[in-house]
Amino acid sequence: MYAFEYHRPTSVQQAANLAAQFEEAKFLAGGHTLLPTMKLRLAAPANLIDLGQIAELHGIQRSGDAITIGAMTKHVEVAHSAEIHAAIPALAELAELIGDPHVRNRGTIGGSIANNDPSADYPAACLALNATIVTNKRKIAADDFFQGIFTTALEEGEIITQVSFPIPAQAAYAKFRNPASRYALVGVFVAKHADRVRVAVTGAGSNGVFRMPEMEEALSRNFAAEALDGISVPEDEMNSDIHADAAYRAHLVGVMARRAVQAAAARG
């Protein structure tokens, strides 16, 4: 690991000022991606700005028909939140499926979303739940935020402060996990809203998280697993690696989508 300067701001404004002051600076959230890449000398930021001590970035609250989660809220806090279990239990269940206890006790929702790993869980929840990602500069719809593998709409020095999730009528997440890393080989989040159904897939796409419009239309007409019969997932849009080839992932998208719909319908 190369030498670097460590900064620990106590406000979002202070963190933004530090980012503007130093050209080679990276924000540190949970650190599960940044620190390993630094140890391998694949990244060498001259300055690390730790967001962990910024109180305004922590916390969970329900306001009207939405749940708002601070960017530095840990996965374990989402998994055990009474507010989330009552409003969007599928989101709490998703958080409980992330990694292992070490990852859940250190990783944060803001860090996961900002990193946009193609196998991460939260991006699927954001897309399916039609979330709004709030930064220190603006509000970004989830549909506009995720722009490809490890790519988002965030500008240089922009900080995610919170994520707002509209509360759906029904929702569920089904995940086929890599047994070692617990990352999603395929994860499908299905959410039934007042006006339509949204379906988002993670772990499978060659360009990262994506939505399934054909499934959404079918489920908006009939929210039942059998509504997905006959819908095929193009293999040429799937990722292929040592863990699963494109054909297998395409098949799993359909399987996981049906499981998610069944789970959401059973929840009522």
Side-chain angles (χ1 to χ4, degrees):
M1 186 180 288
Y2 297 100
F4 60 89
E5 295 294 325
Y6 176 73
H7 308 273
R8 207 174 194 187
T10 56
S11 73
V12 171
Q13 187 59 58
Q14 187 181 1
N17 291 343
L18 286 167
Q21 179 181 350
F22 301 109
E23 288 187 8
E24 296 183 17
K26 290 287 186 182
F27 293 118
L28 178 65
H32 284 292
T33 298
L34 179 59
L35 294 183
T37 56
M38 290 176 65
K39 288 179 180 178
L40 292 171
R41 297 198 171 194
L42 298 174
N47 292 270
L48 278 189
I49 304 171
D50 188 344
L51 304 177
Q53 295 303 304
I54 303 178
E56 61 195 286
L57 297 182
H58 294 262
I60 299 166
Q61 65 177 16
R62 177 171 180 169
S63 179
D65 294 328
I67 286 284
T68 300
I69 305 176
M72 288 298 292
T73 302
K74 294 178 175 62
H75 307 323
V76 69
E77 296 173 292
V78 175
H80 296 165
S81 166
E83 291 91 345
I84 295 176
H85 272 282
I88 317 177
L91 190 58
E93 292 163 5
L94 175 150
E96 188 64 47
L97 292 173
I98 296 174
D100 54 27
H102 174 72
V103 171
R104 292 192 292 274
N105 278 278
R106 290 295 303 169
T108 65
I109 184 171
S112 175
I113 293 169
N115 190 46
N116 193 20
D117 188 290
S119 296
D121 300 287
Y122 277 123
C126 289
L127 277 183
L129 291 169
N130 197 24
T132 299
I133 291 85
V134 183
T135 77
N136 59 322
K137 297 181 179 180
R138 54 184 170 148
K139 296 180 179 180
I140 311 170
D143 284 328
D144 300 322
F145 184 83
F146 301 103
Q147 299 184 347
I149 294 177
F150 297 111
T151 305
T152 71
L154 289 174
E155 298 172 351
E156 194 70 28
E158 191 169 11
I159 303 169
I160 297 175
T161 58
Q162 60 187 29
V163 186
S164 179
F165 294 93
I167 298 172
Q170 294 169 285
Y173 180 58
K175 177 180 178 179
F176 192 91
R177 291 178 285 181
N178 180 306
S181 69
R182 314 290 176 85
Y183 270 114
L185 286 179
V186 172
V188 180
F189 201 112
V190 175
K192 182 180 181 183
H193 301 271
D195 56 342
R196 67 171 294 125
V197 174
R198 292 171 66 100
V199 179
V201 181
T202 189
S206 57
N207 199 35
V209 66
F210 64 96
R211 288 173 59 189
M212 286 290 299
E214 191 175 357
M215 287 186 177
E216 293 177 346
E217 292 173 10
L219 292 170
S220 293
R221 293 191 298 269
N222 176 25
F223 194 69
E226 54 266 27
L228 301 178
D229 292 347
I231 297 177
S232 60
V233 180
E235 294 180 18
D236 59 356
E237 297 177 4
M238 297 294 103
N239 182 31
S240 184
D241 56 28
I242 62 172
H243 304 294
D245 64 17
Y248 186 54
R249 277 189 164 92
H251 172 71
L252 278 179
V253 170
V255 173
M256 293 299 107
R258 286 170 175 80
R259 290 184 184 179
V261 173
Q262 290 168 343
R267 183 172 283 131

